[in-house]
Amino acid sequence: MEPCKGSWKVLIFVCVLAVYLWMFFVDYSHTLSQRITLQRTRISVSARNVPHLQSLEQPKLEEVSDGAVSRFAKSQSASPRNSSDTLKGNVSTSKYQTLKQQGLMPSRQLPTALIIGVKKGGTRALLEFLRLHPAIRAAGSEVHFFDHHYVKGFRWYRRRMPPTMVGQITMEKTPSYFVTSEVPKRVKHMNPGMRLIVVVRDPVTRAISDYTQVKSKRVKMPRFEDLAFLNGSRIVDTSWVPLKIGVYVRHLERWLQYFPLSQFLFVSGERLIADPVMEITRVQDFLGLKRVICEKHFYFNATKGFPCLLKSEERATPHCLGKNKGRSHPYIDPMAVQRLRDFYRPFNQRFYQLAGMDFGWF
């Protein structure tokens, strides 16, 4: 009987232990299930509230392309901080685009106005005077896009322009445009409504000034008279570039094949020196701008013989143009000068008629 009682005790202990272990396992499983459900709920709520966490829901790979799989893998590896930075970047980009659309952010634009000529006519002075106007932004130097760099394309040209705001005019100056045969067609191809400014000067004086500039760089240069006339005769050498430029009517006739006269403004180089305000006022009106540039911006420099600026875009103090401007011309035989004036006279008259303006050259 004793062994039998001992066996019953062992059996009862084993049964009680089994029941206890069963109850513990059931309770632990229930608790674990609740934790998993709660965690999934938190992830689902976060995914709805924060867009970048939605990527945690894995798509079926067979329903997406290789590129989408690659993008999904990258999104899985991105930390919440990186995603937050991306959101901030998108907001910043959106603000920039909005400001740009409203004209509050400057951007580079192709020019809508060109100073196309002529060399030694006063183009540099005109451009410096126009820079005083807050609505005008101009390229810093002669770009020579339409005559030398046209093959580089409009994107290259645009990068050479200064940033502008809405309401500002982008402008460029290259005097050789006026005399280069291919340029009018190219300009029209870019902008048929281009406003064109031509600064002209007495062709004889202009040719002597052109010669003087070249001679300052070439010491052993022949005399002006030897270059202007063929073999010491009275026949004008029209192939010599300084004289060829001065036949303005021929160049203008070529431009008028592509642009109406209403898109041109002819500025007198002589009047630009004698009365800069009058000529600048004409330019401001032509460009449709408020008359901002006036007498208070200029003073006359007796040494150089032309007006200078009391202040400019780059300097707040009085200054003149470069030291190479206003240099003295060499002595030219008066008879040679007269023969050149006789040569230009019929061309000048035709130019006056086409331009609708008498420049008073003798």
Side-chain angles (χ1 to χ4, degrees):
M1 292 296 294
E2 291 299 327
C4 183
K5 291 181 179 180
S7 299
W8 279 106
K9 290 180 180 180
V10 173
L11 181 61
I12 292 172
F13 175 77
V14 171
C15 290
V16 171
L17 180 62
V19 171
Y20 177 78
L21 290 175
W22 179 80
M23 293 177 63
F24 176 80
F25 177 76
V26 170
D27 183 67
Y28 177 78
S29 299
H30 180 69
T31 303
L32 181 62
S33 177
Q34 287 181 332
R35 289 181 179 178
I36 292 174
T37 302
L38 180 61
Q39 184 68 19
R40 288 178 177 175
T41 302
R42 288 176 177 175
I43 292 175
S44 178
V45 171
S46 299
R48 288 194 298 270
N49 294 335
V50 184
H52 73 266
L53 291 180
Q54 293 177 359
S55 61
L56 293 175
E57 300 177 3
Q58 294 189 9
K60 295 180 181 180
L61 296 183
E62 65 269 21
E63 295 178 357
V64 295
S65 64
D66 293 340
V69 173
S70 176
R71 292 193 296 272
F72 172 73
K74 290 181 180 179
S75 68
Q76 286 287 71
S77 64
S79 66
R81 180 176 179 181
N82 290 338
S83 299
S84 176
D85 292 342
T86 300
L87 289 174
K88 291 179 181 178
N90 291 337
V91 172
S92 177
T93 302
S94 177
K95 288 182 178 179
Y96 176 85
Q97 291 174 346
T98 301
L99 291 172
K100 187 175 181 181
Q101 290 173 356
Q102 295 176 350
L104 300 178
M105 294 293 293
S107 60
R108 299 181 190 277
Q109 304 293 330
L110 291 171
T112 56
L114 294 175
I115 300 177
I116 59 175
V118 295
K119 181 182 179 184
K120 306 307 296 181
T123 57
R124 171 55 61 182
L126 176 63
L127 184 63
E128 291 303 315
F129 296 164
L130 290 177
R131 286 180 186 275
L132 296 172
H133 203 294
I136 294 177
R137 298 282 289 142
S141 58
E142 296 174 7
V143 182
H144 284 280
F145 171 67
F146 292 104
D147 54 355
H148 295 164
H149 304 292
Y150 190 68
V151 295
K152 296 181 180 179
F154 295 141
R155 183 177 298 180
W156 179 91
Y157 191 33
R158 187 195 303 270
R159 289 200 298 266
R160 267 75 192 160
M161 297 300 109
T164 55
M165 309 278 280
V166 169
Q168 289 184 313
I169 292 176
T170 302
M171 180 179 291
E172 191 244 321
K173 173 191 82 78
T174 299
S176 56
Y177 288 166
F178 187 61
V179 300
T180 304
S181 59
E182 300 86 2
V183 170
K185 183 178 180 180
R186 293 172 177 177
V187 174
K188 183 175 182 178
H189 175 67
M190 187 189 81
N191 183 2
M194 184 71 75
R195 285 166 287 188
L196 305 162
I197 302 174
V198 187
V199 188
V200 288
R201 183 182 180 190
D202 180 340
V204 178
T205 307
R206 196 222 66 84
I208 295 173
S209 182
D210 196 346
Y211 166 83
T212 303
Q213 184 182 42
V214 177
K215 183 175 176 59
S216 67
K217 302 174 183 178
R218 295 171 51 187
V219 180
K220 297 181 179 180
M221 189 171 181
R223 295 187 314 147
F224 176 86
E225 297 87 338
D226 295 336
L227 296 171
F229 300 94
L230 293 172
N231 303 320
S233 67
R234 299 170 61 92
I235 302 175
V236 176
D237 187 356
T238 56
S239 66
W240 189 38
V241 175
L243 296 182
K244 189 175 181 180
I245 291 175
V247 187
Y248 303 137
V249 66
R250 291 180 178 172
H251 310 305
L252 180 57
E253 286 172 344
R254 181 169 57 248
W255 277 89
L256 290 176
Q257 295 176 14
Y258 298 92
F259 294 93
L261 190 63
S262 59
Q263 289 179 222
F264 289 86
L265 178 69
F266 300 95
V267 176
S268 169
E270 288 82 10
R271 296 175 195 171
L272 190 61
I273 295 175
D275 191 352
V277 176
M278 183 183 72
E279 291 301 289
I280 292 298
T281 298
R282 292 180 61 241
V283 177
Q284 292 176 101
D285 292 345
F286 174 70
L287 297 175
L289 300 176
K290 182 179 179 181
R291 295 179 178 180
V292 173
I293 308 172
C294 55
E295 291 85 352
K296 68 179 182 180
H297 294 100
F298 301 95
Y299 74 96
F300 187 81
N301 186 298
T303 302
K304 284 184 169 289
F306 56 75
C308 298
L309 299 174
L310 288 173
K311 62 178 182 178
S312 67
E313 184 182 45
E314 298 178 351
R315 300 183 188 178
T317 57
H319 66 283
C320 295
L321 299 179
K323 61 183 180 180
N324 62 330
K325 304 295 182 181
R327 61 166 62 92
S328 299
H329 291 170
Y331 173 81
I332 307 295
D333 184 352
M335 293 299 296
V337 173
Q338 187 58 51
R339 286 198 295 269
L340 288 176
R341 292 199 185 283
D342 295 339
F343 165 77
Y344 279 117
R345 186 171 293 108
F347 296 111
N348 291 342
Q349 292 298 326
R350 288 170 52 196
F351 178 67
Y352 296 168
Q353 292 173 0
L354 278 183
M357 181 176 175
D358 188 339
F359 292 88
W361 301 322
F362 299 104

